[in-house]
Amino acid sequence: MSSKNMENALFQLKFTAKQLQRNAKKCQKDETAEKNKLKKAIQQGNTEGAKIYASNAIRKKNEALNFLRLSSRIDAVASRVQTAVTMRSVSKSMGTLVKGMDKAMKSMNLEQISAIMDKFESQFEDLDVQTQVMEGSMGQTTTLTTPQEEVDSLMQQVADEHGLELNMELPGASNHILTGDKEQDLLTERLAKLRNS
């Protein structure tokens, strides 16, 4: 791949990553809107509507995470391409530097040798920065799970945050057998949240 093509590919990768980040932000806004509708539905005692809005909010949250994850992967690839582009320019520069070094060494001009070494070191510093950016991007992968309980949990959370009573038996609530202490802790925590809101 020519340097020109690599630079074009790099531009496309960066552009795509930015677009995905914009899409993620839009999904986050949509998630907030769905949570607001969920709150209203709970206030109005509209359990069916609440389930739909909770489900939509979770879907939007997951879409946002998927966009962010893909953007992170593209960033990582862009960093590799950037490193390759930098390596090519480093290789060219080093060829020139080595020729300059030969001349400087023959004349033993310490000032020239020092200047050439400064250039040499700055080339490697650029490369180090590129490598660190790439490693940072690679480390930003997250896992995603979407269990059904999230819908019920989100509905309960929104109800608690706004001091609302959720007028429904949460499906599966009877399946969760809590120990006395744990149940007491959860009730105390919910009560504290209600008092603070």
Side-chain angles (χ1 to χ4, degrees):
M1 199 188 252
S2 73
S3 290
K4 186 83 184 133
N5 286 349
M6 282 180 86
E7 279 167 26
N8 286 343
L10 184 60
F11 172 80
Q12 284 301 324
L13 287 166
K14 286 181 175 177
F15 180 75
T16 305
K18 285 257 185 324
Q19 267 189 320
L20 288 167
Q21 283 165 9
R22 275 197 292 273
N23 288 349
K25 277 188 182 143
K26 186 188 180 304
C27 286
Q28 286 163 347
K29 275 185 186 170
D30 292 346
E31 181 196 355
T32 304
E34 292 296 327
K35 278 184 176 178
N36 290 336
K37 290 178 193 171
L38 167 59
K39 178 191 159 195
K40 276 186 189 156
I42 293 171
Q43 282 171 331
Q44 294 163 356
N46 177 2
T47 305
E48 282 309 304
K51 283 181 184 175
I52 292 166
Y53 297 133
S55 162
N56 289 348
I58 289 164
R59 193 178 69 251
K60 287 297 172 186
K61 178 186 174 185
N62 292 337
E63 280 176 27
L65 285 171
N66 285 331
F67 282 132
L68 287 173
R69 188 179 299 110
L70 192 52
S71 170
S72 174
R73 285 182 68 190
I74 289 172
D75 267 342
V77 173
S79 293
R80 286 182 179 163
V81 173
Q82 180 76 63
T83 304
V85 168
T86 306
M87 279 300 291
R88 285 196 179 179
S89 66
V90 166
S91 301
K92 284 179 192 167
S93 302
M94 284 189 180
T96 313
L97 288 172
V98 169
K99 284 177 192 163
M101 186 70 103
D102 282 347
K103 286 179 191 169
M105 291 295 276
K106 281 177 187 158
S107 64
M108 279 314 278
N109 183 332
L110 296 180
E111 221 170 275
Q112 269 186 319
I113 293 171
S114 178
I116 288 167
M117 286 314 296
D118 287 347
K119 281 185 191 172
F120 220 72
E121 284 163 357
S122 82
Q123 292 284 349
F124 279 107
E125 278 170 22
D126 291 349
L127 204 56
D128 282 346
V129 169
Q130 291 299 333
T131 307
Q132 283 165 12
V133 168
M134 183 180 83
E135 285 167 359
S137 297
M138 295 299 278
Q140 289 171 0
T141 54
T142 54
T143 56
L144 178 72
T145 54
T146 56
Q148 177 54 45
E149 295 105 48
E150 277 190 42
V151 173
D152 300 335
S153 170
L154 180 61
M155 287 171 71
Q156 191 62 61
Q157 182 190 335
V158 170
D160 288 350
E161 280 171 9
H162 300 284
L164 302 169
E165 193 54 49
L166 200 54
N167 297 325
M168 63 177 250
E169 261 308 309
L170 288 176
S174 55
N175 301 344
H176 299 298
I177 299 162
L178 295 170
T179 62
D181 288 347
K182 206 169 189 182
E183 194 171 9
Q184 191 58 46
D185 289 349
L186 287 172
L187 288 171
T188 308
E189 191 179 306
R190 280 184 63 194
L191 186 61
K193 277 184 187 173
L194 288 171
R195 284 187 182 138
N196 292 337
S197 60

